[in-house]
């Protein structure tokens, strides 16, 4: 038997190593493919700058975030008693400004609210 011939044990070991590495490489590749967040240029009009960061005042929520809320069908009161923001996996008790929020869009929400992206919290 030649030294460079592969035996069964080496073949199985190599196959298992490659199989175990595939999910890891897929995660690394997916993370590398994410586009970096690009901030919109700030216009200097002399007016106060737009609010950034956590927001508790709905009137200060940017139009783009309000569009997300509307596109997801967010309402302040759920019509389904078993589905509301409090039992959603995307719910944040504190959005960083001292009020409840969601991981999908900026601004305040209510615990009794609901949107089309509701995901049950794990038990």
């Amino acid at each position: 038997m030649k030294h460079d011939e592969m035996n069964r044990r080496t073949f199985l070991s190599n196959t298992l190593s490659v199989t175990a590495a595939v999910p890891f490489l897929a995660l690394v590749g997916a993370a590398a493919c994410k586009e970096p967040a690009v901030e919109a240029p700030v216009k200097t009009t002399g007016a106060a700058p737009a609010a950034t960061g956590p927001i508790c005042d709905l009137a200060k929520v940017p139009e783009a975030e309000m569009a997300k809320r509307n596109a997801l069908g967010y309402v302040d009161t759920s019509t389904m008693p078993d589905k509301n923001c409090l039992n959603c996996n995307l719910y944040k008790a504190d959005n960083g400004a001292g009020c409840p929020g969601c991981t999908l869009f900026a601004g305040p929400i209510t615990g009794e609210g609901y949107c089309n992206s509701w995901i049950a919290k794990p038990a």
Side-chain angles (χ1 to χ4, degrees), residues 2-90:
K2 294 181 183 177
H3 246 315
D4 46 326
E5 285 184 22
M6 188 179 296
N7 62 30
R8 182 173 180 230
R9 179 174 287 156
T10 304
F11 174 76
L12 289 175
S13 175
N14 290 346
T15 302
L16 289 174
S17 297
V18 170
T19 304
V22 169
F24 174 74
L25 293 174
L27 288 174
V28 170
C33 290
K34 286 186 179 179
E35 293 182 28
V38 178
E39 292 186 25
V42 177
K43 295 180 182 178
T44 55
T45 60
T52 58
I55 303 169
C56 269
D57 183 0
L58 196 57
K60 295 180 181 176
V61 176
E63 279 186 46
E65 293 299 318
M66 288 303 291
K68 286 182 195 176
R69 292 168 76 97
N70 294 335
L72 293 171
Y74 174 78
V75 292
D76 286 332
T77 306
S78 175
T79 58
M80 296 169 273
D82 58 332
K83 293 183 179 181
N84 58 49
C85 293
L86 285 175
N87 62 18
C88 178
N89 200 37
L90 304 171

